[in-house]
Amino acid sequence: MENRIGKRPIIIAIDGPAASGKSTTARILAGKLGYTYIDTGAMYRSVTLKVLRSGLLDALREDTGRVSALLDGLQIEFRGDRVFLDGEDVSAAIRENTVSREVSFVSSLKPVRDRLLVLQQKMGAARGVVMDGRDIGTVVFPEAELKIFLVADPRERAKRRHAELSLKGGNSAVPTVEELEEEIRQRDRDDEQRTHAPLKRHPDAVVVDTSCLTIDQQVARVYDLAAKILEG
Ligand code: CDP
């Protein structure tokens, strides 16, 4: 850990659409700064997994209020790069495509957002965090000193997601790049059009297009912006 910049720790918010490179960038950046990385997508995915396991998904489409029962006593914790749902390590399970398909619906529910908002604000209260998601710069930490909005061409994002899923292996067949692109476009639309905390750029957020950047290049861009604030 470098943490060579010994100023008062800041909050770095990284938002953007699916597979735009947020989590990779945020994780490496946090490591370089000696900051804590908080993957809020993993939190929404964990709640989605809980909904799927409960068998309540269809009932929720009719009566969204029923989700509240699942939120009572909900515990989500990060330990290193693992995420724990009610004490169980769900890091692999939340990346399954079954979860990806339903996560936008579950994330659109007001009680879910209210609950996770409180958890996320608590997690970032000590500052020195890099938090990624869809509404970090707009809703969770509008006061974040650095706000980034990462974007990339949908085809490129589908290719990245395909490579990621192929590398992971597992039991389920990997969808084609075309299928993934359609899913990603649909999720972007759902995230942008929902009523509560939609995906949108904060006017202060710096847009970084990662379509033609390597991981090193995109991390360097954001790191330089952070360093300027911390040194300035
Ligand atoms: O990694 P990927 O880009 O596929 O998505 P993610 O960051 O894991 O987030 C999964 C989903 O959670 C998003 O498509 C959103 O529907 C939802 N989400 C949200 O609503 N608000 C956040 N702050 C983070 C994620």
Side-chain angles (χ1 to χ4, degrees):
M1 276 193 287
E2 281 176 34
N3 205 10
R4 64 180 175 79
I5 309 169
K7 282 274 187 74
R8 178 173 187 262
I10 62 170
I11 295 176
I12 301 175
I14 303 186
D15 291 305
S20 54
K22 299 181 301 292
S23 53
T24 311
T25 306
R27 180 174 291 113
I28 299 174
L29 182 71
K32 281 169 82 76
L33 292 169
Y35 277 20
T36 303
Y37 166 50
I38 298 165
D39 176 355
T40 65
M43 300 173 77
Y44 284 98
R45 285 172 176 274
S46 297
V47 177
T48 305
L49 182 66
K50 191 162 176 167
V51 167
L52 289 171
R53 285 176 171 178
S54 72
L56 280 178
L57 183 68
D58 288 335
L60 287 188
R61 294 196 204 280
E62 302 297 315
D63 176 7
T64 57
R66 291 185 65 180
V67 77
S68 300
L70 295 177
L71 299 173
D72 286 340
L74 171 82
Q75 278 183 26
I76 298 176
E77 250 186 289
F78 291 99
R79 296 184 210 153
D81 60 359
R82 315 296 296 175
V83 55
F84 290 76
L85 166 67
D86 300 333
E88 177 195 347
D89 184 347
V90 293
S91 314
I94 61 167
R95 301 288 157 201
E96 294 286 334
N97 231 34
T98 44
V99 172
S100 302
R101 271 187 215 117
E102 303 301 340
V103 65
S104 284
F105 166 65
V106 174
S107 309
S108 70
L109 306 177
K110 180 91 166 49
V112 174
R113 301 213 73 83
D114 288 348
R115 185 63 206 273
L116 293 194
L117 175 65
V118 172
L119 281 181
Q120 288 157 8
Q121 289 180 333
K122 227 185 252 173
M123 287 174 173
R127 312 177 62 78
V129 293
V130 182
M131 193 175 279
D132 79 341
R134 301 292 188 286
D135 60 342
I136 312 308
T138 49
V139 175
V140 184
F141 285 116
E143 73 277 26
E145 287 85 350
L146 177 59
K147 300 182 191 68
I148 302 290
F149 199 78
L150 280 194
V151 296
D153 171 64
R155 184 71 177 187
E156 179 58 33
R157 292 191 273 136
K159 283 189 200 157
R160 289 179 192 166
R161 190 46 47 95
H162 187 263
E164 192 181 288
L165 291 170
S166 306
L167 205 70
K168 232 179 275 164
N171 298 330
S172 36
V174 176
T176 63
V177 173
E178 288 72 23
E179 286 164 344
L180 286 167
E181 184 178 341
E182 188 38 47
E183 277 178 32
I184 282 176
R185 284 182 184 274
Q186 182 60 50
R187 195 137 62 87
D188 288 352
R189 278 195 292 272
D190 292 343
D191 289 347
E192 283 162 4
Q193 289 167 8
R194 70 180 173 218
T195 313
H196 310 295
L199 167 66
K200 70 167 186 271
R201 186 179 81 84
H202 186 287
D204 295 346
V206 180
V207 178
V208 177
D209 187 335
T210 70
S211 305
C212 300
L213 297 183
T214 63
I215 289 171
D216 284 353
Q217 286 170 330
Q218 68 200 39
V219 171
R221 286 265 170 102
V222 183
Y223 182 83
D224 288 348
L225 292 166
K228 242 183 239 151
I229 294 172
L230 286 159
E231 286 164 352

